Amino acid sequence: MAPVPRASTTVSCLSPGTLKAVFFLFASICAWYSGYLLAELIPEVSLSSAAYSIRNIGERPVLKAPAPKRQKCDHWTPCPSDTYAYRLLSGGGRDKYAKICFEDELLIGEKTGNVGRGINIAIVNYMTGKVTATQYFDMFEGDNSGQMINFIQSAPSKSLLFMVTHDDGASRLKEDAKKVIEGLGSKHIRNIQFRSSWVFLTAKGLQLPEEIQRESINHSDSARNRYSGWPAEVQIEGCIPKKTS
Ligand SMILES: *[C@@H]1O[C@H](CO)[C@@H](O)[C@H](O)[C@H]1NC(C)=O
């Protein structure tokens, strides 16, 4: 009699329910193992780079606008190449210093250390565009009106003159000095008051175009003053044609 294989006897002894359970267990182990293998096989690098590119997608909408080009004397739009750029700023209170900028060069200001209380003046040679003299005249203390007249009158023909106040440009400004400045085309110097902010552009021996900004003034008014005791600063800016037509 041929021996009956034990295994088949065993299998045949198992009920269909038990067989199903064993098969399910085996399938589960297979599924777990294949998942485990797959995880081991996928390289770490590709996972982290996938995560990186997902982050990149998130960042991409940030579009960088090119930084706007800075113009001469901080103008918004550049002056034509056949003109000189200028910007005049009066002082604001005691601590914000007056500035005179010409062709992007600071002629008078805190950085150049030549700004002071009173009326600040820069003289530029119109033909070369080079600064020839700068000076400030204290108008609160001392008697500097006469010196200022001499300085203004020393400017040769074909000069540009830039004037800005800092702190106070009026207290000791005398009548004859006002007349000289008025003679150069100022419409406001006669009305200047204690601590008024004032800026003025003029020329000797040449005609400036009518349309360019030449002068601005603001008076101290305790109800409106931006700084306590001083009005807001005033400024003018523009482009001066290099050759008058
Ligand atoms: C003058 O200054 C005041 C503040 O001090 C300001 O409100 C006003 O706008 C300024 N006016 C001019 C013409 O700058």
Side-chain angles (χ1 to χ4, degrees), residues 117-226:
R117 180 176 62 189
I119 297 180
N120 295 256
I121 306 177
I123 301 174
V124 168
N125 180 323
Y126 174 71
M127 307 311 281
T128 64
K130 296 281 170 242
V131 61
T132 55
T134 65
Q135 187 73 254
Y136 67 88
F137 302 91
D138 194 339
M139 289 295 148
F140 186 73
E141 267 176 1
D143 186 6
N144 302 304
S145 246
Q147 252 181 286
M148 188 175 76
I149 293 173
N150 291 342
F151 184 77
I152 291 169
Q153 288 180 338
S154 77
S157 184
K158 304 256 183 240
S159 288
L160 299 170
L161 286 89
F162 302 93
M163 307 185 189
V164 296
T165 53
H166 181 75
D167 190 350
D168 174 44
S171 294
R172 312 216 46 185
L173 179 67
K174 290 187 175 160
E175 173 58 27
D176 49 355
K178 287 182 186 175
K179 257 199 189 112
V180 168
I181 293 170
E182 209 169 37
L184 289 167
S186 169
K187 294 184 173 79
H188 297 296
I189 195 66
R190 194 152 293 284
N191 306 323
I192 198 168
Q193 294 159 20
F194 178 58
R195 290 181 174 173
S196 291
S197 294
W198 174 71
V199 294
F200 179 53
L201 156 64
T202 189
K204 275 177 140 185
L206 65 120
Q207 203 73 39
L208 291 172
E210 280 302 312
E211 68 276 11
I212 68 171
Q213 296 179 359
R214 304 248 330 239
E215 193 172 21
S216 185
I217 199 163
N218 200 353
H219 303 296
S220 180
D221 171 350
S222 54
R224 294 189 319 141
N225 277 346
R226 180 171 298 168

Side-chain angles (χ1 to χ4, degrees), residues 25 112 141:
L25 189 70
T112 44
E141 267 176 1

